[in-house]
Amino acid sequence: MSVALSRCIGRVLSRQVASSSFVAGEQHHAVQSCWFVPVMTLKTTAALRAVPQKKKKKADPRIEALVRDRLKKKLRKLEKIPPEFIPIEDFITPSKCLDETRQRSTSRLSVEESERRALLLKEWCLYKQKQHMAEVESVELALKAQKEALKELKLESEELYQAALKPDPLLFPFAHEGPTFTPPKENYEAPDGKYVDITKVYTQ
Amino acid sequence: MSAPCGRMASRSLFQFLSTFGRTALGNSGLRHFSGTSARRVTAQSKVETERASSPWTLVAAVCLRRLPVISADCSPIEEEVRGMLQQVEFEKSILSDHELRLLDDTERMTRKQAEDYDSDEEDVRKDQEIVLTQDLEDSWEQRMKTFQPAERFRDDVDKDLTSLERCLDSSLLLLAEQEVGGEKMWLLPQTQWQGGETLRQTAERALASLPAAAFKATFLGNAPCGVYKYKLPKAARTESTVGTKVFFFKAILSDDSPPADPNASLLWVKKNELQRYLKPAYLMKVEPFIIGL
């Protein structure tokens, strides 16, 4: 770039020389000679703007590699430790509950009461068993009815039978609001509620 | 079994080919398409030939159910056990914050009433107004009283069989009065099967064709849950029709179904009221798949 610059300067000077010789033709030779500078004698020096750089030490890349290895070892050691288990909040009895002042002063159960409870539980056991057997029986009857229906359908037409056996992909997810204690009121506006969620979120 | 497999395989193969670009496999793709359509046409005609040979007419009926809206009352033993369990739970519990506050308040009141009461002994929170827990409880009671829940049981609505709001604690079935063989009778809404549709679509059509009622229902699966077949009286029998097979499909009434106008030809009945309306033989076939009440 410095060479090109010098060439430009040379051209400029020679142009100036030409113009000046045209305008002032009778001028002295001595004046013209000090303006005319031959291009070949122009010398350029190296770029003078750079800062002297530090010498690169050959041991540097080795030291960097050692540092990286040490970090990797530390990482591996940390990873070896098994992660802490997320505590199950329900299994930890809060210390508030173990307070002695909170004990209820209840009287002992009488013999009649405990007898009554035991007999009631026995009756309940029998009631629930009968209920369960009835449920199982009703399900079995329904299945029997369905099998009979599919058998009859197969006798009728194979194509309809195959169509009936296909699962319905649009059925699930199926949602239905369950029974409440009181029926929904017409045109009822529930009051705006606000709650702050304070569940603890753990990250492993 | 092989015929439907082949059909399904060819259909999936066609889809596979079409995704890879019709330009590259244009001719073969078109050939496949014509192949499947031809096979579909033959399948339909096969069904019709099958149907033509069978002497039974097919009918699909829908068993539409409105599930309970409120919880049912407990039986006597259930009530007893519920009371006992609540007692046991209460005995095994410890005092809650609210109860501790109540006890503290009563204790402070007794101390205030005592003659040697020194207010400086107590750490009185001067900037905080002491609100008695009892007052809090009373204010909550007052707020509860301002809310009037809807009634659970209304006798007049329960007696109206055409209303959808009756007997909210049990599930109801839809019955329609339809004409079958020149005779009007109460049965689950049904309609005859037409060629080119599955039986479930026939059942959906039966529901949609009910007079003046737009019920939104979820059909539970493609398979029928029951069948009732009857032979026509000997006088009406011909070579092609011996009798009818009625296939039942279960459906649940959706929550966001529009309220239907009370229609005299539609009834909502509980399971134990079915015997008043359905014929005995029909009821015998319908009862098993209506699980529950």
mmCIF file of all heavy atoms in Angstrom, chain A residues 132-167:
data_model
loop_
_atom_site.group_PDB
_atom_site.id
_atom_site.type_symbol
_atom_site.label_atom_id
_atom_site.label_comp_id
_atom_site.label_asym_id
_atom_site.label_seq_id
_atom_site.Cartn_x
_atom_site.Cartn_y
_atom_site.Cartn_z
ATOM 1 N N HIS A 132 -70.096 -54.983 46.159
ATOM 2 C CA HIS A 132 -69.065 -55.305 45.172
ATOM 3 C C HIS A 132 -69.488 -56.477 44.305
ATOM 4 O O HIS A 132 -69.328 -56.461 43.071
ATOM 5 C CB HIS A 132 -67.753 -55.623 45.894
ATOM 6 C CG HIS A 132 -66.658 -56.042 44.975
ATOM 7 N ND1 HIS A 132 -66.065 -55.179 44.091
ATOM 8 C CD2 HIS A 132 -66.068 -57.243 44.770
ATOM 9 C CE1 HIS A 132 -65.154 -55.814 43.397
ATOM 10 N NE2 HIS A 132 -65.124 -57.070 43.790
ATOM 11 N N MET A 133 -70.067 -57.518 44.941
ATOM 12 C CA MET A 133 -70.500 -58.686 44.162
ATOM 13 C C MET A 133 -71.585 -58.283 43.166
ATOM 14 O O MET A 133 -71.584 -58.739 42.018
ATOM 15 C CB MET A 133 -71.038 -59.792 45.079
ATOM 16 C CG MET A 133 -70.003 -60.328 46.044
ATOM 17 S SD MET A 133 -68.485 -60.757 45.226
ATOM 18 C CE MET A 133 -68.381 -62.459 45.563
ATOM 19 N N ALA A 134 -72.476 -57.403 43.612
ATOM 20 C CA ALA A 134 -73.543 -56.964 42.713
ATOM 21 C C ALA A 134 -72.962 -56.202 41.519
ATOM 22 O O ALA A 134 -73.396 -56.382 40.371
ATOM 23 C CB ALA A 134 -74.538 -56.074 43.475
ATOM 24 N N GLU A 135 -71.954 -55.365 41.798
ATOM 25 C CA GLU A 135 -71.320 -54.601 40.715
ATOM 26 C C GLU A 135 -70.668 -55.535 39.714
ATOM 27 O O GLU A 135 -70.813 -55.384 38.496
ATOM 28 C CB GLU A 135 -70.253 -53.661 41.298
ATOM 29 C CG GLU A 135 -70.760 -52.305 41.676
ATOM 30 C CD GLU A 135 -69.703 -51.427 42.325
ATOM 31 O OE1 GLU A 135 -68.499 -51.641 42.076
ATOM 32 O OE2 GLU A 135 -70.091 -50.538 43.087
ATOM 33 N N VAL A 136 -69.920 -56.511 40.241
ATOM 34 C CA VAL A 136 -69.211 -57.441 39.351
ATOM 35 C C VAL A 136 -70.217 -58.199 38.489
ATOM 36 O O VAL A 136 -70.016 -58.390 37.287
ATOM 37 C CB VAL A 136 -68.335 -58.387 40.199
ATOM 38 C CG1 VAL A 136 -67.911 -59.585 39.398
ATOM 39 C CG2 VAL A 136 -67.123 -57.653 40.736
ATOM 40 N N GLU A 137 -71.332 -58.599 39.137
ATOM 41 C CA GLU A 137 -72.342 -59.358 38.391
ATOM 42 C C GLU A 137 -72.952 -58.512 37.283
ATOM 43 O O GLU A 137 -73.160 -58.988 36.162
ATOM 44 C CB GLU A 137 -73.424 -59.820 39.360
ATOM 45 C CG GLU A 137 -74.195 -61.027 38.867
ATOM 46 C CD GLU A 137 -75.362 -61.311 39.789
ATOM 47 O OE1 GLU A 137 -75.142 -61.420 41.015
ATOM 48 O OE2 GLU A 137 -76.479 -61.409 39.263
ATOM 49 N N SER A 138 -73.240 -57.238 37.599
ATOM 50 C CA SER A 138 -73.859 -56.377 36.584
ATOM 51 C C SER A 138 -72.911 -56.160 35.416
ATOM 52 O O SER A 138 -73.332 -56.136 34.254
ATOM 53 C CB SER A 138 -74.296 -55.055 37.198
ATOM 54 O OG SER A 138 -73.202 -54.367 37.705
ATOM 55 N N VAL A 139 -71.610 -56.022 35.717
ATOM 56 C CA VAL A 139 -70.644 -55.845 34.625
ATOM 57 C C VAL A 139 -70.592 -57.092 33.761
ATOM 58 O O VAL A 139 -70.537 -57.024 32.526
ATOM 59 C CB VAL A 139 -69.251 -55.494 35.201
ATOM 60 C CG1 VAL A 139 -68.186 -55.603 34.142
ATOM 61 C CG2 VAL A 139 -69.264 -54.106 35.787
ATOM 62 N N GLU A 140 -70.644 -58.267 34.430
ATOM 63 C CA GLU A 140 -70.596 -59.521 33.657
ATOM 64 C C GLU A 140 -71.821 -59.651 32.759
ATOM 65 O O GLU A 140 -71.702 -60.084 31.598
ATOM 66 C CB GLU A 140 -70.521 -60.711 34.609
ATOM 67 C CG GLU A 140 -69.120 -61.021 35.030
ATOM 68 C CD GLU A 140 -69.041 -62.205 35.984
ATOM 69 O OE1 GLU A 140 -70.043 -62.926 36.132
ATOM 70 O OE2 GLU A 140 -67.972 -62.380 36.567
ATOM 71 N N LEU A 141 -72.990 -59.269 33.266
ATOM 72 C CA LEU A 141 -74.208 -59.348 32.452
ATOM 73 C C LEU A 141 -74.102 -58.429 31.241
ATOM 74 O O LEU A 141 -74.504 -58.794 30.129
ATOM 75 C CB LEU A 141 -75.424 -58.944 33.294
ATOM 76 C CG LEU A 141 -75.969 -60.000 34.233
ATOM 77 C CD1 LEU A 141 -77.101 -59.412 35.062
ATOM 78 C CD2 LEU A 141 -76.486 -61.204 33.469
ATOM 79 N N ALA A 142 -73.577 -57.223 31.475
ATOM 80 C CA ALA A 142 -73.443 -56.280 30.363
ATOM 81 C C ALA A 142 -72.497 -56.832 29.300
ATOM 82 O O ALA A 142 -72.744 -56.705 28.096
ATOM 83 C CB ALA A 142 -72.930 -54.942 30.888
ATOM 84 N N LEU A 143 -71.392 -57.442 29.751
ATOM 85 C CA LEU A 143 -70.435 -58.011 28.789
ATOM 86 C C LEU A 143 -71.074 -59.137 28.005
ATOM 87 O O LEU A 143 -70.857 -59.284 26.793
ATOM 88 C CB LEU A 143 -69.202 -58.533 29.532
ATOM 89 C CG LEU A 143 -68.114 -57.517 29.817
ATOM 90 C CD1 LEU A 143 -67.010 -58.151 30.627
ATOM 91 C CD2 LEU A 143 -67.551 -56.938 28.550
ATOM 92 N N LYS A 144 -71.884 -59.939 28.697
ATOM 93 C CA LYS A 144 -72.554 -61.055 28.021
ATOM 94 C C LYS A 144 -73.484 -60.516 26.936
ATOM 95 O O LYS A 144 -73.527 -61.038 25.816
ATOM 96 C CB LYS A 144 -73.349 -61.854 29.058
ATOM 97 C CG LYS A 144 -73.516 -63.326 28.694
ATOM 98 C CD LYS A 144 -74.091 -64.128 29.829
ATOM 99 C CE LYS A 144 -75.598 -64.024 29.802
ATOM 100 N NZ LYS A 144 -76.258 -64.988 30.704
ATOM 101 N N ALA A 145 -74.227 -59.452 27.289
ATOM 102 C CA ALA A 145 -75.147 -58.861 26.309
ATOM 103 C C ALA A 145 -74.379 -58.343 25.101
ATOM 104 O O ALA A 145 -74.807 -58.507 23.951
ATOM 105 C CB ALA A 145 -75.944 -57.723 26.959
ATOM 106 N N GLN A 146 -73.217 -57.745 25.356
ATOM 107 C CA GLN A 146 -72.444 -57.193 24.232
ATOM 108 C C GLN A 146 -71.904 -58.310 23.346
ATOM 109 O O GLN A 146 -71.904 -58.210 22.122
ATOM 110 C CB GLN A 146 -71.292 -56.345 24.753
ATOM 111 C CG GLN A 146 -70.656 -55.547 23.643
ATOM 112 C CD GLN A 146 -69.579 -54.639 24.145
ATOM 113 O OE1 GLN A 146 -68.695 -55.045 24.878
ATOM 114 N NE2 GLN A 146 -69.624 -53.410 23.718
ATOM 115 N N LYS A 147 -71.461 -59.396 23.989
ATOM 116 C CA LYS A 147 -70.932 -60.524 23.186
ATOM 117 C C LYS A 147 -72.024 -61.086 22.291
ATOM 118 O O LYS A 147 -71.783 -61.400 21.120
ATOM 119 C CB LYS A 147 -70.415 -61.619 24.109
ATOM 120 C CG LYS A 147 -69.031 -61.369 24.609
ATOM 121 C CD LYS A 147 -68.386 -62.614 25.194
ATOM 122 C CE LYS A 147 -67.114 -62.199 25.899
ATOM 123 N NZ LYS A 147 -67.032 -62.643 27.273
ATOM 124 N N GLU A 148 -73.226 -61.182 22.853
ATOM 125 C CA GLU A 148 -74.341 -61.714 22.067
ATOM 126 C C GLU A 148 -74.630 -60.798 20.887
ATOM 127 O O GLU A 148 -74.873 -61.263 19.765
ATOM 128 C CB GLU A 148 -75.567 -61.817 22.971
ATOM 129 C CG GLU A 148 -76.651 -62.707 22.420
ATOM 130 C CD GLU A 148 -77.939 -62.525 23.196
ATOM 131 O OE1 GLU A 148 -77.878 -62.306 24.424
ATOM 132 O OE2 GLU A 148 -79.000 -62.578 22.556
ATOM 133 N N ALA A 149 -74.582 -59.473 21.150
ATOM 134 C CA ALA A 149 -74.856 -58.517 20.076
ATOM 135 C C ALA A 149 -73.823 -58.643 18.959
ATOM 136 O O ALA A 149 -74.169 -58.635 17.773
ATOM 137 C CB ALA A 149 -74.832 -57.097 20.643
ATOM 138 N N LEU A 150 -72.548 -58.797 19.344
ATOM 139 C CA LEU A 150 -71.503 -58.898 18.323
ATOM 140 C C LEU A 150 -71.630 -60.197 17.546
ATOM 141 O O LEU A 150 -71.388 -60.249 16.342
ATOM 142 C CB LEU A 150 -70.126 -58.804 18.977
ATOM 143 C CG LEU A 150 -69.739 -57.396 19.408
ATOM 144 C CD1 LEU A 150 -68.484 -57.422 20.248
ATOM 145 C CD2 LEU A 150 -69.518 -56.495 18.217
ATOM 146 N N LYS A 151 -72.077 -61.256 18.243
ATOM 147 C CA LYS A 151 -72.257 -62.546 17.559
ATOM 148 C C LYS A 151 -73.355 -62.419 16.512
ATOM 149 O O LYS A 151 -73.206 -62.854 15.365
ATOM 150 C CB LYS A 151 -72.630 -63.598 18.610
ATOM 151 C CG LYS A 151 -72.420 -65.033 18.139
ATOM 152 C CD LYS A 151 -72.640 -66.023 19.248
ATOM 153 C CE LYS A 151 -74.144 -66.205 19.456
ATOM 154 N NZ LYS A 151 -74.473 -67.276 20.408
ATOM 155 N N GLU A 152 -74.456 -61.777 16.900
ATOM 156 C CA GLU A 152 -75.569 -61.610 15.956
ATOM 157 C C GLU A 152 -75.139 -60.752 14.781
ATOM 158 O O GLU A 152 -75.529 -61.005 13.638
ATOM 159 C CB GLU A 152 -76.762 -60.945 16.670
ATOM 160 C CG GLU A 152 -77.408 -61.781 17.744
ATOM 161 C CD GLU A 152 -78.274 -62.896 17.174
ATOM 162 O OE1 GLU A 152 -78.681 -62.794 16.010
ATOM 163 O OE2 GLU A 152 -78.522 -63.866 17.900
ATOM 164 N N LEU A 153 -74.342 -59.724 15.070
ATOM 165 C CA LEU A 153 -73.899 -58.830 14.003
ATOM 166 C C LEU A 153 -72.998 -59.566 13.031
ATOM 167 O O LEU A 153 -73.069 -59.366 11.816
ATOM 168 C CB LEU A 153 -73.162 -57.633 14.610
ATOM 169 C CG LEU A 153 -72.764 -56.527 13.636
ATOM 170 C CD1 LEU A 153 -73.952 -55.998 12.888
ATOM 171 C CD2 LEU A 153 -72.072 -55.407 14.376
ATOM 172 N N LYS A 154 -72.159 -60.457 13.576
ATOM 173 C CA LYS A 154 -71.259 -61.216 12.700
ATOM 174 C C LYS A 154 -72.056 -62.115 11.763
ATOM 175 O O LYS A 154 -71.704 -62.266 10.596
ATOM 176 C CB LYS A 154 -70.322 -62.056 13.566
ATOM 177 C CG LYS A 154 -69.172 -62.612 12.780
ATOM 178 C CD LYS A 154 -68.078 -63.115 13.690
ATOM 179 C CE LYS A 154 -66.945 -63.654 12.836
ATOM 180 N NZ LYS A 154 -65.878 -64.206 13.617
ATOM 181 N N LEU A 155 -73.152 -62.677 12.315
ATOM 182 C CA LEU A 155 -73.988 -63.536 11.464
ATOM 183 C C LEU A 155 -74.592 -62.728 10.331
ATOM 184 O O LEU A 155 -74.844 -63.243 9.249
ATOM 185 C CB LEU A 155 -75.114 -64.157 12.299
ATOM 186 C CG LEU A 155 -74.716 -65.273 13.262
ATOM 187 C CD1 LEU A 155 -75.916 -65.682 14.089
ATOM 188 C CD2 LEU A 155 -74.177 -66.469 12.507
ATOM 189 N N GLU A 156 -74.839 -61.437 10.629
ATOM 190 C CA GLU A 156 -75.493 -60.605 9.623
ATOM 191 C C GLU A 156 -74.522 -60.196 8.524
ATOM 192 O O GLU A 156 -74.717 -60.511 7.373
ATOM 193 C CB GLU A 156 -76.058 -59.343 10.288
ATOM 194 C CG GLU A 156 -77.331 -59.577 11.031
ATOM 195 C CD GLU A 156 -78.424 -60.107 10.139
ATOM 196 O OE1 GLU A 156 -78.755 -59.418 9.162
ATOM 197 O OE2 GLU A 156 -78.933 -61.196 10.409
ATOM 198 N N SER A 157 -73.471 -59.439 8.896
ATOM 199 C CA SER A 157 -72.542 -58.989 7.856
ATOM 200 C C SER A 157 -71.160 -58.808 8.432
ATOM 201 O O SER A 157 -70.991 -58.211 9.487
ATOM 202 C CB SER A 157 -73.026 -57.675 7.243
ATOM 203 O OG SER A 157 -72.274 -56.606 7.716
ATOM 204 N N GLU A 158 -70.185 -59.324 7.717
ATOM 205 C CA GLU A 158 -68.795 -59.283 8.161
ATOM 206 C C GLU A 158 -68.269 -57.849 8.209
ATOM 207 O O GLU A 158 -67.580 -57.441 9.144
ATOM 208 C CB GLU A 158 -67.960 -60.125 7.199
ATOM 209 C CG GLU A 158 -66.553 -60.412 7.665
ATOM 210 C CD GLU A 158 -66.486 -61.229 8.934
ATOM 211 O OE1 GLU A 158 -67.314 -62.130 9.115
ATOM 212 O OE2 GLU A 158 -65.629 -60.922 9.777
ATOM 213 N N GLU A 159 -68.669 -57.065 7.193
ATOM 214 C CA GLU A 159 -68.162 -55.685 7.073
ATOM 215 C C GLU A 159 -68.604 -54.844 8.272
ATOM 216 O O GLU A 159 -67.820 -54.143 8.904
ATOM 217 C CB GLU A 159 -68.694 -55.096 5.764
ATOM 218 C CG GLU A 159 -68.520 -53.608 5.626
ATOM 219 C CD GLU A 159 -67.200 -53.224 5.009
ATOM 220 O OE1 GLU A 159 -66.406 -54.129 4.708
ATOM 221 O OE2 GLU A 159 -66.960 -52.033 4.843
ATOM 222 N N LEU A 160 -69.884 -54.963 8.632
ATOM 223 C CA LEU A 160 -70.395 -54.182 9.771
ATOM 224 C C LEU A 160 -69.757 -54.654 11.071
ATOM 225 O O LEU A 160 -69.484 -53.864 11.974
ATOM 226 C CB LEU A 160 -71.917 -54.302 9.856
ATOM 227 C CG LEU A 160 -72.700 -53.585 8.767
ATOM 228 C CD1 LEU A 160 -74.176 -53.882 8.922
ATOM 229 C CD2 LEU A 160 -72.480 -52.101 8.807
ATOM 230 N N TYR A 161 -69.502 -55.964 11.130
ATOM 231 C CA TYR A 161 -68.863 -56.519 12.324
ATOM 232 C C TYR A 161 -67.466 -55.939 12.485
ATOM 233 O O TYR A 161 -67.069 -55.533 13.578
ATOM 234 C CB TYR A 161 -68.824 -58.044 12.186
ATOM 235 C CG TYR A 161 -68.100 -58.754 13.288
ATOM 236 C CD1 TYR A 161 -68.648 -58.858 14.566
ATOM 237 C CD2 TYR A 161 -66.869 -59.359 13.056
ATOM 238 C CE1 TYR A 161 -67.987 -59.518 15.567
ATOM 239 C CE2 TYR A 161 -66.206 -60.031 14.063
ATOM 240 C CZ TYR A 161 -66.771 -60.107 15.312
ATOM 241 O OH TYR A 161 -66.095 -60.769 16.317
ATOM 242 N N GLN A 162 -66.701 -55.881 11.376
ATOM 243 C CA GLN A 162 -65.347 -55.320 11.445
ATOM 244 C C GLN A 162 -65.390 -53.847 11.813
ATOM 245 O O GLN A 162 -64.557 -53.364 12.574
ATOM 246 C CB GLN A 162 -64.625 -55.503 10.099
ATOM 247 C CG GLN A 162 -64.292 -56.944 9.767
ATOM 248 C CD GLN A 162 -63.388 -57.563 10.806
ATOM 249 O OE1 GLN A 162 -62.536 -56.897 11.395
ATOM 250 N NE2 GLN A 162 -63.597 -58.833 11.074
ATOM 251 N N ALA A 163 -66.369 -53.140 11.270
ATOM 252 C CA ALA A 163 -66.499 -51.710 11.608
ATOM 253 C C ALA A 163 -66.819 -51.542 13.089
ATOM 254 O O ALA A 163 -66.361 -50.597 13.722
ATOM 255 C CB ALA A 163 -67.592 -51.086 10.754
ATOM 256 N N ALA A 164 -67.584 -52.472 13.639
ATOM 257 C CA ALA A 164 -67.935 -52.368 15.063
ATOM 258 C C ALA A 164 -66.739 -52.663 15.955
ATOM 259 O O ALA A 164 -66.640 -52.133 17.048
ATOM 260 C CB ALA A 164 -69.065 -53.338 15.383
ATOM 261 N N LEU A 165 -65.817 -53.510 15.469
ATOM 262 C CA LEU A 165 -64.674 -53.869 16.307
ATOM 263 C C LEU A 165 -63.620 -52.787 16.358
ATOM 264 O O LEU A 165 -62.765 -52.807 17.222
ATOM 265 C CB LEU A 165 -64.021 -55.152 15.769
ATOM 266 C CG LEU A 165 -64.767 -56.461 15.973
ATOM 267 C CD1 LEU A 165 -63.896 -57.598 15.512
ATOM 268 C CD2 LEU A 165 -65.140 -56.658 17.422
ATOM 269 N N LYS A 166 -63.684 -51.833 15.410
ATOM 270 C CA LYS A 166 -62.626 -50.811 15.356
ATOM 271 C C LYS A 166 -62.704 -49.925 16.588
ATOM 272 O O LYS A 166 -63.792 -49.531 17.005
ATOM 273 C CB LYS A 166 -62.798 -49.935 14.109
ATOM 274 C CG LYS A 166 -62.304 -50.569 12.866
ATOM 275 C CD LYS A 166 -62.039 -49.505 11.790
ATOM 276 C CE LYS A 166 -61.833 -50.219 10.469
ATOM 277 N NZ LYS A 166 -62.841 -49.904 9.480
ATOM 278 N N PRO A 167 -61.549 -49.548 17.165
ATOM 279 C CA PRO A 167 -61.597 -48.618 18.306
ATOM 280 C C PRO A 167 -61.912 -47.205 17.825
ATOM 281 O O PRO A 167 -61.585 -46.846 16.703
ATOM 282 C CB PRO A 167 -60.172 -48.696 18.873
ATOM 283 C CG PRO A 167 -59.334 -49.136 17.744
ATOM 284 C CD PRO A 167 -60.193 -49.976 16.840
#
